[in-house]
Amino acid sequence: MAGYAIEEELKAALAEDGRPLSIAGVDEVGRGAWAGPVVVCAAVTDLSPPPVLPGRGKRTVGLTDSKLLTEAHRASFAEILPGWLSGHAIGASSPSEIDEVGMTEALRRAAVRALEALPVPPDVVILDGKHDFLRRPWKVRCEIKADQRSVTVAAASVLAKVHRDRLMADLDTEFPGYGFADSAGYPSPVHQQALKESGPTPHHRMSWSYLDDLPRWRHLKRHRDPLAGEGQLSLI
């Protein structure tokens, strides 16, 4: 279960004149997928006790990294978190934007969109991981496994994943056979077989190296201008 240790440390170090410190937790989902957008959620809490869900017997299920929760628990948390959080917002970068500027810049843009959509600009941002992809003017604290340690980041993790999973499930009805509802655009066997037989959809990332292994479709691969943005051309 995530806690507030990181938030309390930031509050003690940065609070001035008794003014409440606004801390946003930021997490992303979809970075390694072959199809679909990269999605970022920014979440802000008031540092009150987070909601819990009933578990087996007398146990409860606490808020943590979305990957450690069942699909049912993620869905339940996604229903109650918006009413509990002080604010939250979603930002995204499309596959074509990822192709154009690279993943690092696309991720930054999605995060900025989420942060700028919050009701109040945060004083500091907690990022999951060790790399500050936001940079100036944002004041950032990077923490490895923050989605397991910080309630704020855990909330962002759950909301980002549920949002993207539902978006990819909707795409599954438009492009059946790729397994988007089950794999969310990641390279499952069903997804890879559909690519071999039918090629990429308009929602695939066309600058990524999976196309090198598809002789029928590799001519469609986009080669990004290295001056167009930062990041890597492909990630499997």
Side-chain angles (χ1 to χ4, degrees), residues 114-143:
L115 289 166
E116 290 182 342
L118 289 172
V120 177
D123 298 299
V124 62
V125 176
I126 304 174
L127 283 184
D128 181 33
K130 60 182 180 180
H131 299 298
D132 177 9
F133 55 79
L134 270 174
R135 303 185 302 276
R136 295 180 180 178
W138 305 96
K139 186 177 292 185
V140 173
R141 168 80 170 263
C142 294
E143 288 286 344

Side-chain angles (χ1 to χ4, degrees), residues 46-113:
D46 61 3
L47 305 188
S48 62
V52 295
L53 301 175
R56 292 183 179 179
K58 296 182 179 180
R59 295 183 178 182
T60 58
V61 177
L63 194 57
T64 187
D65 174 12
S66 63
K67 297 185 292 297
L68 300 179
L69 298 169
T70 66
E71 182 179 359
H73 287 149
R74 287 195 298 267
S76 295
F77 271 125
E79 291 297 318
I80 60 179
L81 284 173
W84 172 74
L85 290 167
S86 302
H88 77 283
I90 297 286
S93 288
S94 67
S96 60
E97 188 171 19
I98 294 169
D99 289 333
E100 179 183 356
V101 302
M103 178 52 75
T104 301
E105 174 62 15
L107 186 58
R108 187 193 70 81
R109 292 183 181 187
V112 169
R113 287 163 185 155

Side-chain angles (χ1 to χ4, degrees), residues 167-227:
L167 185 154
M168 296 306 296
D170 289 341
L171 290 182
D172 191 73
T173 61
E174 185 179 358
F175 296 95
Y178 289 84
F180 288 158
D182 297 320
S183 68
Y186 284 82
S188 68
V190 170
H191 187 180
Q192 294 183 62
Q193 186 61 34
L195 279 168
K196 290 179 182 179
E197 296 176 356
S198 304
T201 72
H203 301 281
H204 276 86
R205 301 169 188 181
M206 301 301 293
S207 62
W208 285 33
S209 62
Y210 70 86
L211 281 165
D212 296 334
D213 298 322
L214 300 173
R216 290 179 60 191
W217 313 105
R218 65 169 59 127
H219 65 284
L220 299 175
K221 185 176 180 181
R222 289 186 57 186
H223 297 277
R224 181 175 58 82
D225 181 352
L227 300 179

